[in-house]
Amino acid sequence: MNAAESKVASAAATEARAALYAEMSPHHLTPLWEVLHALVPPQPNTPCVPALWRYDDVRPYLMRAGEVITAEEAVRRVLILENPALRGQSAITQSLYAGLQLILPGEVAPSHRHTQSALRFVVEGRGAFTAVNGERTTMQPGDFIITPQWTWHDHGSEADGPVVWLDGLDIPMIRFFDAGFAENGTSAQQQITRPEGHNFARYGANMLPVRYDAPHGSTSPIFSYPYARSREALARLERDGPVDAHDGFKLRYVNPATGGSPMPTMATFLQLLPRGFSGKPYRQTDGTVFSVVEGRGRATIGRGDSQWHYDFGPRDHFVVPSWHTLSLSASDECVLFSYSDRPVQQALSIWHEERLA
Ligand code: GTQ
């Protein structure tokens, strides 16, 4: 075939293909070869973008929400942190939800339960409580608190000012599986059947009941991981060294009964970046949400030729999507909390990371 002949042949093929696609479309058939590259990309190709929510920008809207709706009316008075590339989907990554919840003195966020797992990370204020399975946990800034799937939970406040926490849930994941159930309690607040601290004595002292029977399946039996303890561990590690060139000093929270993540769908971390730290870049397949607890620093995020620089301070939140490089640096000593869908990826043997030089 000469050049002219092959041009005619390829025009004929294009036409025949277009006719085939058009005729089969009403039968709900689509040719794979037109989409194969996008379906099986050579590397992760998330639609999510990095984003930063400065607390100084968010807080006034949260407080205005406190003026226009009660916690009881709203059920949960939360401003959702939506990924700018996923507006309308109530998602910060394809698999994770994040929101900032406000409760004011004397308010109640009524009892309900659902198959979505929830974590709370306390951002501002003290003296609100969450009740899980008949026991209250009082919230202090930096505490990491768990609501296991399908457990009754309500929130309340005996504080004298606003209390705000980060809600991390696996809502998009449960939606993906179309596997979510939920129900409301018959009374706004559940009956308290055990004194506060009982749960921590039973499960939180590096010991377990002799005849341990996992009360919440694969979810940690501990409801609250107090900040004071985790912070003290990081301070001690910083004194002793050595520092990790990518992470600073980073610990993962565990289910004490299994050594695995506290919730089946979400991993949680707390890390300390020493003053003057300049971390090396890394990338991981689990898109990650960060909540800044202490200090000031910078997150440099990259993908291809694009770069984002976020100068962060206390109570700021940011998201690093899958397979974006991240390097963290600290002008002051910083403490960062973070969560991701890593346990799910690890269960599927697809979690992957690269620690770059
Ligand atoms: O506290 O139960 O941010 O069910 C979203 C859904 C919080 C909660 C959220 C929820 C909750």
Side-chain angles (χ1 to χ4, degrees):
M1 257 197 294
N2 64 30
E5 283 166 349
S6 81
K7 207 168 163 187
V8 171
S10 94
T14 303
E15 204 175 308
R17 287 173 195 174
L20 170 63
Y21 303 166
E23 284 174 46
M24 67 183 174
S25 180
H27 300 276
H28 314 120
L29 294 169
T30 295
L32 169 64
W33 57 89
E34 296 288 342
V35 293
L36 182 57
H37 191 76
L39 280 187
V40 189
Q43 54 177 287
N45 187 24
T46 180
C48 298
V49 293
L52 168 70
W53 291 264
R54 285 184 209 287
Y55 198 63
D56 285 347
D57 296 333
V58 173
R59 192 179 187 282
Y61 295 114
L62 205 45
M63 296 306 140
R64 267 171 67 188
E67 291 164 14
V68 300
I69 193 163
T70 65
E72 185 123 30
E73 274 180 289
V75 182
R76 297 294 182 263
R77 190 205 285 118
V78 178
L79 300 187
I80 303 172
L81 308 183
E82 279 196 325
N83 193 287
L86 303 176
R87 294 308 306 271
Q89 297 183 38
S90 305
I92 192 161
T93 69
Q94 298 258 70
S95 60
L96 297 173
Y97 163 102
L100 288 169
Q101 179 157 179
L102 168 68
I103 196 148
L104 293 169
E107 285 192 320
V108 172
S111 186
H112 70 184
R113 63 177 177 175
H114 39 70
T115 39
Q116 291 82 359
S117 295
L119 68 86
R120 329 282 171 190
F121 188 73
V122 185
V123 169
E124 177 186 342
R126 57 186 76 237
F129 60 84
T130 187
V132 171
N133 257 12
E135 184 176 334
R136 277 185 181 181
T137 298
T138 301
M139 296 177 163
Q140 312 283 348
D143 289 354
F144 159 51
I145 291 164
I146 291 180
T147 308
Q149 52 181 229
W150 208 242
T151 51
W152 294 109
H153 54 286
D154 50 82
H155 316 301
S157 179
E158 288 163 2
D160 49 18
V163 176
V164 176
W165 64 81
L166 171 67
D167 280 327
L169 287 90
D170 52 14
I171 287 172
M173 230 184 290
I174 304 308
R175 181 168 61 198
F176 170 80
F177 288 115
D178 286 330
F181 293 88
E183 63 184 10
N184 290 321
T186 48
S187 59
Q189 289 189 282
Q190 63 184 276
Q191 192 105 33
I192 299 304
T193 56
R194 281 184 305 275
E196 177 160 2
H198 180 87
N199 175 274
F200 201 74
R202 195 174 265 252
Y203 305 112
N206 293 322
M207 302 171 93
L208 291 172
V210 176
R211 287 173 196 84
Y212 177 74
D213 59 339
H216 304 294
S218 56
T219 301
S220 173
I222 298 177
F223 296 149
S224 175
Y225 296 73
Y227 186 61
R229 285 207 162 192
S230 313
R231 182 67 181 85
E232 192 183 315
L234 290 175
R236 176 64 203 249
L237 294 181
E238 183 184 23
R239 246 184 292 139
D240 296 350
V243 67
D244 180 89
H246 297 80
D247 294 336
F249 300 92
K250 188 170 186 176
L251 296 173
R252 63 181 179 92
Y253 292 90
V254 295
N255 174 341
T258 63
S261 61
M263 285 159 289
T265 48
M266 292 183 283
T268 48
F269 307 90
L270 194 72
Q271 74 194 107
L272 184 152
L273 311 175
R275 184 188 165 86
F277 179 74
S278 179
K280 290 184 176 173
Y282 66 91
R283 55 182 176 174
Q284 297 173 324
T285 51
D286 50 332
T288 303
V289 181
F290 286 86
S291 179
V292 182
V293 195
E294 298 179 34
R296 300 203 162 267
R298 170 176 270 208
T300 300
I301 303 170
R303 180 199 204 179
D305 296 331
S306 306
Q307 271 213 338
W308 294 260
H309 297 283
Y310 296 151
D311 290 314
F312 59 73
R315 300 168 176 169
D316 291 346
H317 292 83
F318 59 94
V319 60
V320 181
S322 167
W323 217 235
H324 284 53
T325 60
L326 170 65
S327 39
L328 291 168
S329 61
S331 36
D332 306 331
E333 180 177 277
C334 288
V335 180
L336 307 178
F337 171 83
S338 56
Y339 69 99
S340 79
D341 63 11
R342 188 174 305 181
V344 179
Q345 296 200 24
Q346 288 179 327
L348 303 176
S349 303
I350 54 171
W351 183 74
H352 187 55
E353 72 169 340
E354 262 179 20
R355 283 156 62 92
L356 306 164

